[in-house]
Amino acid sequence: MIIELERLEIQSRADMEMIDVTAEVDRVVAASGVSAGLVLVMTCHTSSGLIVTEGVECLGRDVLAHLERLAPKQPPKDGCGYWHNRYLDFDGRVGFNAGDHLKSILGGFECAFPIENGAVVRGGRQRVFFVEYDGPLARTVLVQVLGQ
Amino acid sequence: MIIELERLEIQSRADMEMIDVTAEVDRVVAASGVSAGLVLVMTCHTSSGLIVTEGVECLGRDVLAHLERLAPKQPPKDGCGYWHNRYLDFDGRVGFNAGDHLKSILGGFECAFPIENGAVVRGGRQRVFFVEYDGPLARTVLVQVLGQ
Amino acid sequence: MIIELERLEIQSRADMEMIDVTAEVDRVVAASGVSAGLVLVMTCHTSSGLIVTEGVECLGRDVLAHLERLAPKQPPKDGCGYWHNRYLDFDGRVGFNAGDHLKSILGGFECAFPIENGAVVRGGRQRVFFVEYDGPLARTVLVQVLGQ
């Protein structure tokens, strides 16, 4: 059994951003020499996500806008608000990122694909995105290949 | 190590529909001869999903209705709308399926279960559903078994 | 290949509750003797979830409150309601838990992490939570380790 784990270092450039890592995932799988098995892709950060969807720019804008609708950075105006806030060390002030943790939960933080004949098996439209909800930040994404 | 990958060809019959594939997953696992390991189930399409929930018809209606509430086909009336639309080749017109991609992200597109003693280990109420958000269409679901 | 499956028996004490199982997951991985591989964590119940987020109490309150906003126990007042209800055997009355199944779908029911050098690889803030949406109940969470 071959097991390889690679860390992708990603620098997000915006507060919210979708970064296509499909080519990196494919590269790690090819380099592993695994013919059949699976690949696990995971973000290490609880205010970021890992989403598989179609790779068109307009849809990426919709994904970010809609997650912001469903889990807004500003607390919902229902009188309950968010309990969680934190000191934002990159700008020296107390801020809120509860909504960004919630986006991460809704969209997910990891996914797995089969490997067959040395290649990742995915649908023709499926692209793998690291999704920044609370950037810009330096982030780590894991790509693990397991197989033979 | 045994690694088997099978493609289930599924024809959805409605715009939105939950199709129970649990028996197919069980069948692929049994046929693989794997005694211990895991099974990965994944839809190949970004406007469809893979959801695990209780297998009762009334709940299936709630799942589809609620995902439509959270990620509607018609753009939210907040002035932002959806940026994504596409040419629907099955009916020859430009349409919108941004809401269906969003449903897929919220509900997820893959899941994994352990295999023990040659059988999928799942809770008594857990059933595996391919979920169509943008049908009717011919769809492919992957079932991969990995173990010994 | 080493494959170990352990069942965690969890007693939730409230209707909705986040229970940190990270130490249990780490313990199962350490006991397995697996040096490299992956660990799958899964709840067996369709009105509970498995969520990875930061381990701070205020955020846990936000997660539960926000999932209740998005998938409320009381049917949305849009005239459609929920079709699903069930007999609650622990209190002898018919009740509704459609909203709790919906929470489980939104937040997810399983996740996987890589194992490297005998330890689970996760981000510094990532904790693994069993999430009760319909308690108090006796629940089972699976931890499967697969590797070498």
Side-chain angles (χ1 to χ4, degrees):
Chain A
M1 183 161 50
I2 300 169
I3 302 176
E4 298 284 347
L5 178 61
E6 187 162 329
R7 287 160 174 82
L8 308 179
E9 302 303 332
I10 294 175
Q11 175 65 54
S12 64
R13 305 286 175 188
D15 179 32
M16 292 177 56
E17 183 180 8
M18 295 188 69
I19 298 176
D20 190 326
V21 297
T22 314
E24 290 295 285
V25 173
D26 288 348
R27 180 186 57 74
V28 174
V29 169
S32 73
V34 164
S35 172
L38 59 82
V39 57
L40 177 68
V41 189
M42 176 188 130
T43 176
C44 291
H45 311 277
T46 58
S47 60
S48 69
L50 211 290
I51 285 179
V52 173
T53 192
E54 200 171 342
V56 285
E57 189 271 345
C58 55
L59 181 60
R61 294 172 68 182
D62 285 331
V63 170
L64 296 177
H66 204 71
L67 286 173
E68 175 63 20
R69 284 185 187 104
L70 293 177
K73 287 171 183 279
Q74 293 301 317
K77 294 185 179 69
D78 59 5
C80 300
Y82 292 142
W83 283 278
H84 176 64
N85 59 15
R86 70 175 177 106
Y87 184 75
L88 298 169
D89 53 14
F90 62 89
D91 66 0
R93 62 177 176 79
V94 174
F96 297 88
N97 70 347
D100 302 328
H101 290 296
L102 296 171
K103 289 176 184 80
S104 176
I105 291 169
L106 292 178
F109 80 107
E110 49 88 319
C111 70
F113 292 91
I115 299 167
E116 186 185 46
N117 300 324
V120 178
V121 186
R122 49 189 165 75
R125 308 281 179 93
Q126 289 179 316
R127 305 289 297 180
V128 186
F129 292 91
F130 167 78
V131 191
E132 178 62 79
Y133 300 125
D134 188 26
L137 282 170
R139 302 296 209 173
T140 303
V141 168
L142 305 179
V143 183
Q144 187 188 40
V145 184
L146 185 153
Q148 63 191 7
Chain B
M1 184 161 50
I2 300 169
I3 302 175
E4 298 284 346
L5 178 60
E6 187 163 327
R7 288 159 172 83
L8 308 179
E9 302 304 332
I10 293 175
Q11 175 66 53
S12 64
R13 304 286 176 188
D15 179 31
M16 292 178 55
E17 183 180 10
M18 296 189 69
I19 298 177
D20 189 327
V21 297
T22 314
E24 291 295 285
V25 173
D26 287 349
R27 179 186 58 73
V28 174
V29 169
S32 73
V34 164
S35 172
L38 60 82
V39 58
L40 178 68
V41 190
M42 177 189 129
T43 176
C44 290
H45 311 278
T46 58
S47 60
S48 69
L50 211 290
I51 285 179
V52 173
T53 192
E54 201 171 342
V56 285
E57 190 270 345
C58 55
L59 181 60
R61 294 172 67 181
D62 285 332
V63 170
L64 296 177
H66 204 72
L67 286 172
E68 175 63 19
R69 283 184 187 105
L70 293 177
K73 287 171 184 277
Q74 293 301 319
K77 295 185 178 69
D78 58 4
C80 300
Y82 292 142
W83 283 278
H84 174 66
N85 59 15
R86 69 174 178 105
Y87 184 75
L88 298 170
D89 54 5
F90 62 89
D91 66 1
R93 62 178 178 80
V94 175
F96 296 88
N97 70 349
D100 302 328
H101 291 296
L102 296 170
K103 289 177 182 80
S104 177
I105 291 169
L106 293 178
F109 80 107
E110 49 88 316
C111 70
F113 293 90
I115 299 168
E116 186 184 46
N117 300 323
V120 178
V121 185
R122 50 189 163 76
R125 307 282 178 93
Q126 289 179 315
R127 306 288 297 180
V128 186
F129 292 90
F130 166 78
V131 190
E132 178 62 78
Y133 300 125
D134 188 26
L137 281 169
R139 302 295 210 174
T140 302
V141 168
L142 305 179
V143 182
Q144 186 190 41
V145 184
L146 185 152
Q148 63 192 8
Chain C
M1 185 162 48
I2 300 169
I3 302 175
E4 297 285 346
L5 177 60
E6 186 162 327
R7 288 160 173 82
L8 307 180
E9 303 302 333
I10 293 175
Q11 175 66 53
S12 64
R13 304 287 177 187
D15 179 31
M16 292 177 56
E17 184 181 7
M18 295 189 68
I19 298 176
D20 190 326
V21 297
T22 315
E24 291 294 286
V25 173
D26 287 349
R27 180 187 57 73
V28 174
V29 169
S32 72
V34 164
S35 171
L38 60 82
V39 57
L40 177 68
V41 190
M42 174 189 132
T43 176
C44 291
H45 312 277
T46 58
S47 60
S48 69
L50 212 290
I51 285 179
V52 173
T53 193
E54 202 172 341
V56 284
E57 190 270 346
C58 55
L59 181 59
R61 294 172 67 182
D62 285 332
V63 170
L64 296 177
H66 204 71
L67 286 173
E68 175 62 20
R69 282 185 188 105
L70 292 176
K73 287 172 184 277
Q74 294 300 319
K77 293 185 179 69
D78 58 5
C80 300
Y82 292 141
W83 283 279
H84 175 66
N85 59 13
R86 70 174 177 109
Y87 183 74
L88 297 170
D89 55 3
F90 62 87
D91 67 357
R93 62 178 178 78
V94 175
F96 297 87
N97 70 348
D100 303 327
H101 290 296
L102 296 170
K103 290 176 183 80
S104 176
I105 291 169
L106 294 177
F109 81 106
E110 49 88 319
C111 69
F113 293 91
I115 299 167
E116 185 185 47
N117 300 324
V120 179
V121 185
R122 49 189 164 77
R125 306 283 179 92
Q126 289 179 315
R127 306 288 297 179
V128 186
F129 291 91
F130 166 79
V131 191
E132 178 62 78
Y133 300 125
D134 188 26
L137 281 170
R139 301 295 208 174
T140 302
V141 168
L142 305 179
V143 183
Q144 186 190 41
V145 184
L146 184 152
Q148 63 192 8

